[in-house]
Every structure is written in C-alpha cells, then in structure tokens.
Amino acid sequence: MASTSTIYLVTTLDTKREEIIYIKTLLDLKNLNCKIIDISTQLHQFNHLATITSEMVASYHPHGKSAIFCGDRGKAIVAMADAFKLFLMAQNDIGAILGLGGSGGTALITPAMQSLAVGIPKLMVSTMASGNISDYIGASDIAMMYSVTDIAGINVISRKVLSNAANFIAGSVLFKTQETIEDKTAIGLTMFGVTTTCVQSISAKLHDQYDCLVFHATGSGGKAMEKLADSKLLHAVLDITTTEVCDYLFDGVLACNEDRFGAIARSQIPYIGSCGALDMVNFSSPETIPEKYKDRLFYQHNPQVTLMRTTPEENKKMANWIANKLNQCQGYVTFIIPEGGFSALDIEGGTFWSPKANKAFIDEFEKTFIQTPKRKLIKTPHHINSPQFCDLIINEFTQIIKN
C-alpha cells in the first residue's frame, strides 16, 4: 500500500479498547494498514494495544505531558485535544481517520480532524452525533455516525454500527476516486439567495476558464471557503456576499466568527469583496427573535427564516469591522460597493431599500479602509444584481488575477 494509505483509528483505550480492536480486526481482514492512536487522558495498563500511545501524543503539547496527565478531566481533555491536533498535523501517512468516542472523545478528536485537508476521509462514531454537530464538523468534511447505544462494549447493536463504520472507512480507501488533471484553477465565490443573480452571472462568464466554487453564505459556507484558502486550494476569492458579518455582530443565526477574512490575510490570495446582503440579519421563526429587536423592520423569507433590516448605526459598525480586517491583508484586495443596493430586497421600491443605511456603510468604509497600491476601493452607482456590476467584478478580477 502507498504511504498515504494508513488508516488512523483514534480513541481512548482506557475505556474504548474493545470497540477499536473490533474495528481494526475487520480492517485487517481487508489487508488495510491501520494504526491505533490512544488519546486517553489518564495513564493505564493497555499501552501494548496502541501503535501510538497517549504519552506519545501528549508529548506534542507545548507544555509537555504534565498538561494532560494533571488529574483534572476538563483541563486534560482541552490539553489532549491541542496535543492531538499538533500530533496529527505532523504526520505524513494519513490516508483516512476514524474516531470513536463519547462526548469527551468527540471533543478530543474532531478539532484535529478539522485540521486535515479536505478530501482525506474522516469518520467520527459518536454518542453525540444525533444532536447539533456543527461545532464538531466546523468547515471540514467530517462524517458523523451515531453510535445508537453508548460506546460501552460489543453488543448486538454496537456490532452492527461498528461494522458499518469499518466498512465505511475501508470503502473510502479501497474505492478512492483517482483524481484527474484539471486545467482550470479554482476560485471561491460567496452567494445568498438575494445575490444569486449576480453570482450565477459571474460564474457563468468565468466557467470556461475557472472552476467556480460557490459557497452559501450561511456561516459555515464562509468558513469552508476560507479553509480552502488556507489550504491553498483556491486561486482567488470573489467574496460577493459578506452577510455573515451581520449575523456575527448582531445576534443572527448564520454568523461567521472573529477569523472571517483571516485566511485572506494569511494566504494573500487575490481577493475581491463586496456588500452582498449586508442589509439583513438572519433569524429563525419570528418567536426566536431577541426582544430588543421587536420594533425593527422584518421580512419573512420563509417560515423558518426571518430577515431584519440593518440600521445606519449597524452598517457603520460593519463597515469599520470589515475595513479593519481587510487592512490586514498584504495581497491584492479590491472592495467594490454597489451604491444601487446590496441585495434583491435592497433596491429602489424594495422592502429593505434604505439609502441612509447604505450611506452609513459607505462613509465609514471609506474613512477606515486604507488604500495602497495593492488595496483598492471602487464605488459604482449600480445595484449588486445588475449586469453592470457583474461586468465590473469580472473586469477587476481579470486585472487582479494578472498580478
């Protein structure tokens, strides 16, 4: 087998050794190369079962093994998660990874899984997989499998689930699709329903030359795009729809995090940004909206999504936040402001049409954004979904990609 075909089987051997050995036995029958990685946070007598012991993993922590084997379970889990992430990032033979754990094990294993490149098969068998798993998955391609029963030995149920898990990870290695050479380089674009016309038009016009990867700006979408930028899998970013910032700053449900635009600064890839859907904050059904917003302007997008129009004060805050983030970018950056409106609702005669709110954004952005030979601001009188705005984006992209 190739050196990159090793399957990492990760668990806490002090409590889950029977289950992980069962999985390894099934994989051995398929002649697959496996390593058992122990991430127990307390010392035990089963080190002989591990390819990599918990002490070996713990040694990767910046403060050494004592940070993990400290006697405090909460602190130990946090520390081991950090150590395991550093351990995993140092390996060069990972063909796939399967984790097995309860709440503690899942919290230990998945942050490290998130650090692996997109495309490496990742399966987490967990007692936590039937609830909200967004924190465990992040922006990665982790598959979660619910254990149904607690992971506490082999029984009539766990045998079926663990067998499926073994076959899942085996299939991902044995039937891996051979990548073909693709002449087109990949670029990332962000889109929302209210900016679809713009982004689809851009994608259609660039399709022949570029592999256009469109990300839904739902918080996780922006994180996924920036993860690919960090992984050097994108050649450029057309960040048309920066609406996740609204939700991050004003309690919405589709929020980015503090690191939005961070990957652009770190990777220095060519970047074109705009104001897509900065006129709205996303909430769920009306009864979920915080009381402090009760007197605001809303639009019922569907029974599960309620949109709130951003105010001039909120637009000023967003402009300052975004501009300061982009000021940290040393690569080529162009930010284009469509003065004719930021979304399908923010158009003359539309529900969210508010020149005053948009002007607050524009004025603050102009004041805060530091222009340099590589960092440029463009204002256009056109609407974000207009053909003229689309053409402007493409023209600027054509110029910036040459640098």
Side-chain angles (χ1 to χ4, degrees):
M1 296 184 67
S3 63
T4 54
S5 295
T6 302
I7 301 175
Y8 278 45
L9 305 177
V10 188
T11 196
T12 50
L13 284 181
D14 58 339
T15 59
K16 307 288 187 292
R17 55 191 174 276
E18 185 179 0
E19 296 86 346
I20 208 71
I21 292 298
Y22 177 69
I23 289 175
K24 185 177 185 300
T25 299
L26 296 177
L27 296 174
D28 286 343
L29 293 174
K30 302 179 189 300
N31 295 316
L32 292 171
N33 185 33
C34 300
K35 290 181 179 179
I36 293 180
I37 318 299
D38 182 22
I39 53 168
S40 303
T41 55
Q42 57 184 3
L43 299 176
H44 56 76
Q45 59 182 330
F46 304 105
N47 285 343
H48 63 285
L49 299 176
T51 312
I52 305 293
T53 67
S54 60
E55 291 181 89
M56 296 167 67
V57 176
S59 68
Y60 279 78
H61 194 278
H63 301 300
K65 302 176 186 178
S66 61
I68 286 89
F69 305 116
C70 60
D72 184 311
R73 186 174 187 272
K75 292 180 180 178
I77 287 176
V78 172
M80 180 59 93
D82 292 338
F84 180 53
K85 181 176 180 179
L86 293 171
F87 163 79
L88 215 58
M89 292 173 66
Q91 309 309 306
N92 61 9
D93 65 339
I94 304 174
I97 182 169
L98 183 152
L100 185 65
S103 59
T106 306
L108 278 171
I109 297 168
T110 52
M113 283 183 169
Q114 291 180 33
S115 71
L116 296 176
V118 170
I120 295 177
K122 312 166 186 71
L123 175 62
M124 185 70 218
V125 183
S126 171
T127 60
M128 305 300 288
S130 66
N132 183 351
I133 59 174
S134 58
D135 288 343
Y136 299 127
I137 293 177
S140 187
D141 56 340
I142 298 171
M144 299 282 289
M145 180 180 288
Y146 183 43
S147 61
V148 183
T149 62
D150 199 356
I151 303 173
I154 303 298
N155 55 57
V156 65
I157 299 300
S158 66
R159 186 179 296 108
K160 297 177 187 296
V161 173
L162 297 176
S163 294
N164 284 340
N167 289 330
F168 177 108
I169 209 69
S172 71
V173 173
L174 291 171
F175 300 102
K176 182 178 181 180
T177 301
Q178 296 300 313
E179 295 184 9
T180 57
I181 297 175
E182 175 58 74
D183 293 327
K184 294 189 292 184
T185 53
I187 60 174
L189 303 95
T190 49
M191 187 175 78
F192 224 34
V194 290
T195 60
T196 297
T197 300
C198 171
V199 177
Q200 286 187 340
S201 179
I202 293 170
S203 297
K205 293 184 178 183
L206 295 177
H207 175 74
D208 289 342
Q209 293 178 274
Y210 297 96
D211 195 2
C212 297
L213 311 182
V214 178
F215 297 86
H216 198 192
T218 56
S220 58
K223 293 171 188 173
M225 181 183 71
E226 294 209 8
K227 180 178 176 65
L228 294 182
D230 267 331
S231 301
K232 303 187 183 334
L233 295 175
L234 294 179
H235 192 61
V237 167
L238 302 184
D239 199 3
I240 307 302
T241 313
T242 46
T243 186
E244 295 164 328
V245 175
C246 303
D247 287 33
Y248 176 67
L249 296 177
F250 309 117
D251 313 307
V253 297
L254 303 179
C256 60
N257 57 26
E258 181 63 27
D259 193 46
R260 186 67 162 91
F261 310 106
I264 307 305
R266 290 187 292 271
S267 65
Q268 299 188 36
I269 64 173
Y271 174 90
I272 293 179
S274 191
C275 311
L278 289 182
D279 55 314
M280 59 187 64
V281 180
N282 291 266
F283 295 107
S284 299
S285 55
E287 62 270 15
T288 67
I289 298 169
E291 179 68 18
K292 64 180 178 179
Y293 295 130
K294 65 177 182 178
D295 296 324
R296 297 286 292 277
L297 174 62
F298 295 100
Y299 177 81
Q300 192 73 40
H301 184 64
N302 61 48
Q304 284 75 44
V305 177
T306 307
L307 310 176
M308 180 180 75
R309 206 331 170 170
T310 50
T311 64
E313 293 75 19
E314 289 166 346
N315 273 271
K316 181 178 179 180
K317 185 173 181 179
M318 288 188 293
N320 184 276
W321 197 88
I322 294 172
N324 277 310
K325 288 286 186 177
L326 295 180
N327 285 342
Q328 300 173 32
C329 299
Q330 302 304 311
Y332 284 94
V333 169
T334 299
F335 198 84
I336 304 178
I337 298 178
E339 296 175 304
F342 296 174
S343 81
L345 296 179
D346 178 31
I347 192 169
E348 190 167 4
T351 304
F352 281 175
W353 176 242
S354 177
K356 182 179 178 181
N358 292 358
K359 187 176 186 301
F361 180 92
I362 296 166
D363 290 348
E364 181 66 19
F365 195 91
E366 281 190 291
K367 183 175 74 174
T368 310
F369 187 70
I370 301 172
Q371 297 197 62
T372 71
K374 287 187 173 181
R375 197 182 301 128
K376 182 167 61 170
L377 171 63
I378 297 175
K379 294 189 296 181
T380 174
H382 303 293
H383 186 269
I384 196 167
N385 286 327
S386 68
Q388 296 91 337
F389 180 80
C390 173
D391 289 341
L392 176 59
I393 291 286
I394 292 174
N395 289 338
E396 287 300 314
F397 172 71
T398 302
Q399 294 303 313
I400 203 173
I401 207 70
K402 292 177 180 178
N403 296 309

